[in-house]
Every structure is written in C-alpha cells, then in structure tokens.
Amino acid sequence: MLSRMSPLKNPIVFLPSRPPTAVYPDRYQAAHYREQEFPPTATDRERIFYINLEGGFFSPAALMEMILPLGQAVRGGAYGSAALVVVSSDNGTIEFLEALAQKHELPIFLSNSPAAPLSEARPIGALTTAEMQTYGLIRTAGGQVTSSRLADLAGIEGNAAGNRLGALTQKGYLHRVPRSRREGDAFVDLLSAAEQAGAATSDFKPVPAASDEFSIPEDLREAMREVASIDGSLPREVLLRAWREFVDQHREVLDVESKEVRRMLKENDREGLAAYASRRNRERARQATARLKR
C-alpha cells in the first residue's frame, strides 16, 4: 500500500475551505476570498487545496475569479507541489468548471460531494484519452508508479510510459519524486496518497452557523438584520432565503447567461468575454452610484 512505501518525505497537508458567505454576485468578493484563503506561498510540503462550493450561489464572473487564478498558480508552481479539488453537485457549475479547466488547461479535480473519498475526485482539465487512461491505471495501482511499472500495467514501451507520466506531471496531475536510477523516479497521485495516509474530507470545518458576516452594502445589511429580528432568524438565513427567491424568479435568465459564458470559453471568444466583464463592471458601478445618491 502507498501509505507503507510512500516516497514522500513529509505527510501531505490537507487544506479544506469553504467560501464564508452563501452568495457571490461579483468577482470582487470572490477575489477577496481567494486572496485571503490561498496566498501564493511555496513550501516543501505537498498540499491539497479543497474548496467546497456546495450550498453557494456564484455568478459566472465570481466563479471564474475564484478558480481561474488559483488553478493557474497551482499549475505554475506558485504553491510548490499542490493539487486543487473543487466540490460541487450543481450541473451548471460543473459544466462551467469543466469548460474553464479545459480552456485554460487548469489542473483541477472535481468531486460531487464533500462526503466522497478523495480518490473519487476526477480530473477535468485538458487531458488526452491516453492520459485519462493512464491516470486511471495509476489510481488502480494504488496511486504511485514508476515508468517501468506503468509500462507493465498499460502494455506499452518504457519510453511511451515515461512520456505519459511526464505529460501528467507537467499538467499538474502527478507529483514526481526523484529517486536513484535503480529504483526509478516515483510518480504520485497526491489525492490517493493523502487518502491512504488518513486525510479525510470529514475533517472539513464549515463556517459556524451563527456567523452573520457577509459582504453586502451596509443599508442592505441593516435591512437583513431588521427582518431577522422580526422573524427570529439569523441575518445570513434571511439573505440566503432572499437569494434563493431571486434565483427561482430569474432562473431562466441566469441559465442563459451561464451557458453563454461557457460557450465563449469553449470557443475562445475573448472579445465576448471582455464585453461580458465590461458589462458587469458597468452595472456594478451604476449600482454603487445609485447608492451614493440616496
């Protein structure tokens, strides 16, 4: 088992996180969360960033601002050796994340539930069919192989196995551990290694239910508190109910917008994405101006 023969020098650091508010309508809130939770600091410890999006509501712009820079930083090595897992069971969010990961070649793993084992999280980046098959073989082999071991498993030449492992490592899905020529370098799936070493998603600690901190204008915050005092609930619960009612009433419009952004990502429509971001920024500025005039 990998837990008995792991070539990793130190235990993997498992870092679960959850956006502290249920509603993220714009990219500025998402950027603040990302910068606070995941400052780009490198370390010699392997890490798993685990973001639970379940129960949250995110605009396409906010979701992009939250995930894209983080995925790029993981791929670029800004965090050292790290893996990024995102949890969501919402079909629209999943499709958006898949389009984002493939368009920008982000090393993202997707899990459908915070209760699911880490080894069930699937890679959603731009992997070829052969690379996906190779990754599956590595997991069935316990999450760790050498090029000679993979060659035996896949029934291919050693050079071909080495090329596949190199590609998966370069794309951010495997961690390479240099070893002696006799042993051969080890290629490790960090999710399998962490799971076998005892890191569990049940360690995840959500934001305390009593928290009423959410980033919205002060006049709206005060209104939420007044409503909460009347019906005996928490301000965050009032906000969540209001947002759910808004989503229910505008679901068709939101679905169309989300699909349009996913289409632009897949088609590399940079002009369209720029126009979308500009339109969002103008609307935010208009709302801010209107509040100042009150």
Side-chain angles (χ1 to χ4, degrees):
M1 294 293 288
L2 185 58
S3 58
R4 296 177 182 174
M5 54 177 292
S6 173
L8 302 177
K9 295 181 179 180
N10 300 303
I12 297 173
V13 179
F14 181 65
L15 299 170
S17 180
R18 188 175 196 170
T21 61
V23 181
Y24 279 81
D26 63 51
R27 62 188 183 90
Y28 299 97
Q29 291 174 298
H32 177 72
Y33 160 73
R34 172 176 47 77
E35 291 166 357
Q36 290 289 111
E37 286 287 297
F38 307 102
T41 55
T43 175
D44 59 356
R45 299 284 297 275
E46 290 79 20
R47 292 181 287 182
I48 295 177
F49 300 133
Y50 184 91
I51 305 178
N52 184 3
L53 301 181
E54 288 290 83
F57 299 90
F58 308 89
S59 71
L63 194 57
M64 183 183 297
E65 183 64 40
M66 183 184 297
I67 301 300
L68 177 56
L70 181 56
Q72 290 173 327
V74 169
R75 185 189 61 197
Y79 296 101
S81 182
L84 173 59
V85 181
V86 181
V87 182
S88 178
S89 60
D90 177 72
N91 290 333
T93 300
I94 291 173
E95 288 184 19
F96 185 86
L97 291 172
E98 289 174 338
L100 195 68
Q102 292 170 21
K103 166 65 177 62
H104 294 278
E105 299 183 346
L106 305 177
I108 297 177
F109 293 90
L110 180 69
S111 176
N112 290 326
S113 168
L118 284 172
S119 61
E120 292 184 7
R122 60 184 178 89
I124 59 174
L127 298 182
T128 66
T129 300
E131 289 167 351
M132 288 292 292
Q133 293 172 343
T134 299
Y135 186 79
L137 286 174
I138 294 170
R139 278 200 171 169
T140 59
Q144 172 190 326
V145 297
T146 60
S147 58
S148 60
R149 173 60 173 155
L150 177 62
D152 292 338
L153 291 171
I156 57 179
E157 296 294 327
N159 288 340
N163 290 338
R164 291 190 187 183
L165 291 171
L168 284 169
T169 301
Q170 185 177 17
K171 292 182 178 181
Y173 287 100
L174 294 179
H175 173 59
R176 183 172 188 164
V177 181
R179 300 195 299 186
S180 69
R181 186 171 182 178
R182 181 180 63 83
E183 292 180 305
D185 289 353
F187 294 84
V188 180
D189 168 36
L190 293 183
L191 302 192
S192 297
E195 182 176 291
Q196 293 187 35
T201 54
S202 60
D203 292 337
F204 172 73
K205 295 179 177 59
V207 176
S211 174
D212 65 351
E213 294 301 318
F214 42 81
S215 180
I216 62 174
E218 184 59 36
D219 55 344
L220 293 182
R221 183 193 297 268
E222 186 60 33
M224 295 295 175
R225 287 172 175 160
E226 290 179 3
V227 173
S229 66
I230 294 174
D231 62 14
S233 59
L234 295 172
R236 66 188 303 272
E237 295 172 345
V238 174
L239 176 61
L240 185 57
R241 287 202 306 270
W243 181 252
R244 284 174 173 166
E245 290 177 5
F246 174 84
V247 170
D248 288 341
Q249 294 173 8
H250 300 84
R251 186 171 299 278
E252 292 184 3
V253 174
L254 293 174
D255 286 346
V256 169
E257 184 178 82
S258 180
K259 290 178 181 177
E260 180 63 12
V261 173
R262 292 199 299 271
R263 180 197 63 76
M264 289 188 288
L265 281 169
K266 291 180 179 179
E267 297 179 1
N268 195 24
D269 184 0
R270 297 184 180 182
E271 292 184 1
L273 287 169
Y276 171 81
S278 177
R279 185 170 66 253
R280 278 285 181 182
N281 290 340
R282 288 198 303 270
E283 176 61 19
R284 190 173 187 273
R286 185 192 66 78
Q287 293 176 356
T289 300
R291 288 196 297 268
L292 289 174
K293 292 181 178 179
R294 292 174 184 173

